[in-house]
Amino acid sequence: MENYGQNGAVPGEPVKKDENSRRGNWGNQIEFVLTSVGYAVGLGNVWRFPYLCYRNGGGAFMLPYFIMLVFCGIPLFFLELSFGQFASQGCLGVWKISPMFKGVGYGMMVVSTYIGIYYNVVICIAFYYFFMSMTNLLPWTYCNNPWNTPDCSGVVGNSLANVTTSLVAGVSEVVNRTKRTSPSEEYWKHYVLNISDDIGNFGEVRLPILGCLAVSWLVVFLCLIRGVKSSGKVVYFTATFPYVVLTILFIRGITLDGAINGIMYYLTPQWQKVLDAKVWGDAASQIFYSLGCAWGGLITMASYNKFHNNCFRDSIIISITNCATSVYAGFVIFSILGFMAHNLNVPVSEVADHGPGLAFVAYPEALTLLPISPLWSLLFFFMLILLGLGTQFCLLETLVTAIVDEIGTDWIIRNKTVVTLSVAVAGFLLGVPLTTRAGIYWLLLMDNYAASFSLVIISCIMCICVMYVYGHRNYFRDVEMMLGFPPPLFFKVCWRFISPIIISFILIFTVIQYKPITYNDYVYPRWSLAIGFAMALSSVVCIPIYALYKISRSPGATFRERLKNACKAASKVGSCPAGAPDRPLRPHGLRRHCGSSSIQGEGGAEGRAEGGGEGEEG
């Protein structure tokens, strides 16, 4: 086997030259790794992982979490990276390996569209809090604002002259009678959102949020204006700076009173919970969603790699970095939560929430307790913005790449910026309803349904298609030709058996554990849940609809012949460096063109189709 040199580059090849002159490549491999880290490390690492940890037994949750990482997360991550890199196509173009399954790519596009719409709304709220932190006194520090209710009770020493003793006594009575409402919670509900009483009651658009949404979409567009050439430069900052902020907050957090109680709560295992099947289901789903599998982004990002890049090494680095970030963020968060619990004199479990409530209620309140609180607030929300943008870059690039690759004309490739602008404008307009008074209801509905069990189904079908329709032997050869070595045995076993079983396990638990969505005490009406299920199914139905369409358009006198032709791989799937020679992969004379899925000679594409998709042993 040939030695492809450092980082998989062919010896003598100019480092800066793009192998694919039409689509372009990453400027260097660091840009790809940083972009992928930014994609995988998102807002969920900051709030969802720690929440699952303390809900599922603290340190005991780490055991199933890392088992799921090894047997499901990393193998699926490597599968998608190698898939996209081999084909040098986005989430639609890769399905030349079996055109009937192109609906999986369309399903990924639908999922990325939904996530891209509401994810940028979360980013725009972080922008809003960032702008509101540019003050001497954070507006959610005290309870003397027009939007506050009598139930409000702050934890910061109140020294304002106009607060009378009777008012303090009244507040104390309220606190003793009912659960305290924090100033940050009332600021979030009554001022930022001005939340309505029902999901159908949209009310007026919140203009400050709408303005921040326009800013966030503008930032995303400007960073992607030249595709991966520009976003690859931006990620040097967006993917690394959050770690600087996390470290600053960690150092500050562990010096606070009560911080050790929060960290002990985070690390202390409740081993009896390891036997609870729900804990394993949560661990599997967290790995699955955290790494971003089946969103289409991994395939898209890898498609801009050079053909012989070592994506196996990259998948290990990115997966472990993502999960290590979750664990590290847990230390940061639980030190602050321990401090809050100490100040409020309540257990740690009662000061933590999950989802937007944690990012925009608990943390802002904790920030008011720190010296020079506006500075910490600026740093925290700037970190949230960068974490969100790293994921949003890839979501938008996934959609743009799929559209450009699918149309594929010289004009649209030259004018990719126009496509990027069009997608950004459409995303902004579709996000406008989420900036109304009912917007938070719709945001949570999309978060819970648009990218839930549909991701699991898409990922499972992708695994089955690659391993059993295209053929595991064919795919292993493709990876060997690309990397210079075959996939390790462990990954072969995971791809064929273990990962699909775990994915099925996640799907079953998603169904069994289903509970209708609620927001605090608000119960969603049935018609809104029906919309949620429609969003979830809209990505999945792409798969059978396109499969039936492809079968009906394929040549053949019988249904079986049409089915066989619809599954048959195209004569050329991959992409290779210009001028690269054909490489013999087997001693008995079978040759495979660089970047071509068909083995020249006996046992080619026709042989695979006749042999049930498995091809020759070689």
Side-chain angles (χ1 to χ4, degrees):
M1 188 59 59
E2 295 182 17
N3 177 20
Y4 296 118
Q6 187 178 11
N7 290 339
V10 177
E13 179 188 2
V15 176
K16 294 294 184 182
K17 182 179 179 182
D18 288 345
E19 290 177 352
N20 194 322
S21 58
R22 282 170 63 85
R23 298 178 83 249
N25 296 109
W26 294 105
N28 57 61
Q29 211 48 38
I30 296 176
E31 293 180 5
F32 166 69
V33 172
L34 287 178
T35 301
S36 299
V37 167
Y39 174 64
V41 177
L43 298 173
N45 296 72
V46 173
W47 70 59
R48 194 169 188 267
F49 174 80
Y51 165 73
L52 290 176
C53 259
Y54 76 74
R55 190 180 78 178
N56 291 305
F61 181 73
M62 300 289 188
L63 177 64
Y65 180 76
F66 284 111
I67 288 176
M68 291 298 176
L69 170 67
V70 171
F71 289 100
C72 187
I74 296 177
L76 282 175
F77 204 89
F78 179 32
L79 178 65
E80 289 203 27
L81 288 190
S82 58
F83 195 16
Q85 181 174 308
F86 180 80
S88 290
Q89 293 284 310
C91 60
L92 294 181
V94 292
W95 294 102
K96 290 178 182 177
I97 66 162
S98 186
M100 189 180 85
F101 287 87
K102 193 174 183 177
V104 175
Y106 284 110
M108 289 178 173
M109 283 187 67
V110 172
V111 168
S112 288
T113 300
Y114 287 138
I115 298 174
I117 291 169
Y118 78 79
Y119 208 86
N120 226 18
V121 175
V122 178
I123 297 171
C124 90
I125 295 174
F127 264 112
Y128 179 78
Y129 271 81
F130 177 77
F131 294 139
M132 291 298 103
S133 300
M134 296 177 181
T135 176
N136 293 326
L137 179 68
L138 295 175
W140 55 86
T141 304
Y142 297 112
C143 291
N144 61 330
N145 301 291
W147 59 81
N148 291 126
T149 67
D151 292 337
C152 179
S153 173
V155 294
V156 178
N158 203 327
S159 59
L160 296 180
N162 61 347
V163 178
T164 62
T165 305
S166 60
L167 179 58
V168 173
V171 170
S172 300
E173 183 183 348
V174 170
V175 171
N176 292 330
R177 191 174 67 247
T178 62
K179 184 181 178 182
R180 181 186 71 83
T181 305
S182 67
S184 61
E185 183 176 355
E186 294 203 346
Y187 180 77
W188 163 251
K189 287 183 179 178
H190 304 315
Y191 185 74
V192 178
L193 301 178
N194 192 14
I195 190 168
S196 66
D197 58 355
D198 185 72
I199 189 173
N201 181 15
F202 283 92
E204 73 278 3
V205 171
R206 303 291 295 147
L207 292 179
I209 304 298
L210 182 66
C212 290
L213 182 63
V215 170
S216 58
W217 272 112
L218 180 63
V219 170
V220 172
F221 167 70
L222 292 177
C223 292
L224 289 174
I225 198 165
R226 292 183 59 236
V228 297
K229 293 297 184 186
S230 55
S231 66
K233 302 297 182 289
V234 175
V235 292
Y236 280 106
F237 180 73
T238 60
T240 56
F241 188 75
Y243 291 97
V244 176
V245 179
L246 276 176
T247 302
I248 293 172
L249 290 175
F250 173 70
I251 295 171
R252 183 68 188 97
I254 59 176
T255 60
L256 296 170
D257 294 335
I260 189 66
N261 296 329
I263 292 174
M264 289 302 295
Y265 190 94
Y266 177 49
L267 294 179
T268 304
Q270 301 171 30
W271 290 115
Q272 70 276 12
K273 295 236 178 176
V274 174
L275 301 177
D276 187 351
K278 187 177 186 302
V279 175
W280 290 81
D282 280 348
S285 64
Q286 173 62 12
I287 285 290
F288 195 81
Y289 299 129
S290 178
L291 290 176
C293 297
W295 290 16
L298 298 178
I299 293 175
T300 301
M301 295 301 104
S303 73
Y304 291 103
N305 279 333
K306 293 186 177 180
F307 186 74
H308 294 297
N309 169 63
N310 190 344
C311 57
F312 171 69
R313 171 204 60 203
D314 295 343
S315 63
I316 302 294
I317 292 173
I318 297 164
S319 300
I320 292 178
T321 300
N322 174 65
C323 296
T325 303
S326 293
V327 176
Y328 185 41
F331 281 97
V332 179
I333 285 149
F334 273 86
S335 64
I336 294 176
L337 294 180
F339 174 57
M340 289 179 65
H342 175 78
N343 274 272
L344 297 174
N345 198 25
V346 296
V348 176
S349 59
E350 293 186 17
V351 296
D353 195 359
H354 68 102
L358 185 61
F360 301 115
V361 175
Y363 293 155
E365 182 172 356
L367 294 168
T368 63
L369 302 175
L370 300 174
I372 325 176
S373 54
L375 173 63
W376 298 110
S377 185
L378 280 169
L379 282 175
F380 177 76
F381 288 109
F382 190 51
M383 179 188 71
L384 280 189
I385 290 167
L386 294 183
L387 285 172
L389 287 176
T391 302
Q392 190 69 14
F393 289 159
C394 296
L395 289 168
L396 187 62
E397 186 63 42
T398 296
L399 298 174
V400 172
T401 298
I403 294 169
V404 172
D405 285 349
E406 184 68 6
I407 298 174
T409 63
D410 290 336
W411 184 90
I412 202 164
I413 291 173
R414 286 196 309 270
N415 293 276
K416 187 178 177 181
T417 303
V418 177
V419 181
T420 306
L421 178 62
S422 302
V423 173
V425 170
F428 168 74
L429 295 176
L430 290 170
V432 170
L434 300 185
T435 64
T436 62
R437 292 179 59 194
I440 190 66
Y441 298 123
W442 289 99
L443 189 150
L444 290 174
L445 186 74
M446 295 180 74
D447 186 38
N448 278 270
Y449 289 93
S452 55
F453 66 85
S454 54
L455 283 179
V456 183
I457 296 173
I458 289 171
S459 190
C460 190
I461 292 176
M462 182 185 72
C463 226
I464 291 170
C465 173
V466 174
M467 289 296 108
Y468 296 100
V469 180
Y470 178 61
H472 64 274
R473 296 186 186 93
N474 294 320
Y475 195 74
F476 298 160
R477 289 182 190 129
D478 291 344
V479 173
E480 181 176 358
M481 177 183 62
M482 186 168 59
L483 301 184
F485 57 88
L489 178 62
F490 172 76
F491 286 86
K492 293 180 178 180
V493 174
C494 284
W495 287 344
R496 293 190 66 194
F497 306 111
I498 299 177
S499 295
I501 290 172
I502 291 177
I503 294 171
S504 302
F505 170 81
I506 300 172
L507 180 60
I508 292 169
F509 264 85
T510 303
V511 175
I512 292 176
Q513 298 174 3
Y514 170 74
K515 293 180 181 178
I517 181 178
T518 59
Y519 179 64
N520 295 333
D521 297 329
Y522 176 74
V523 179
Y524 279 68
R526 289 187 176 181
W527 64 265
S528 64
L529 297 180
I531 293 175
F533 277 111
M535 285 191 290
L537 291 174
S538 62
S539 56
V540 177
V541 296
C542 294
I543 301 171
I545 289 175
Y546 188 86
L548 292 173
Y549 164 77
K550 191 64 182 177
I551 292 170
S552 67
R553 298 295 299 270
S554 296
T558 64
F559 177 80
R560 183 179 178 183
E561 290 178 359
R562 291 180 176 178
L563 179 62
K564 185 190 299 181
N565 287 322
C567 292
K568 186 186 297 183
S571 60
K572 180 174 176 58
V573 173
S575 172
C576 60
D582 295 351
R583 295 182 174 90
L585 292 185
R586 297 292 180 268
H588 56 270
L590 289 180
R591 294 172 67 85
R592 184 191 290 255
H593 285 298
C594 177
S596 170
S597 67
S598 60
I599 300 173
Q600 306 304 311
E602 296 179 7
E606 294 79 4
R608 286 200 306 278
E610 292 293 334
E614 291 298 320
E616 286 283 325
E617 283 282 345

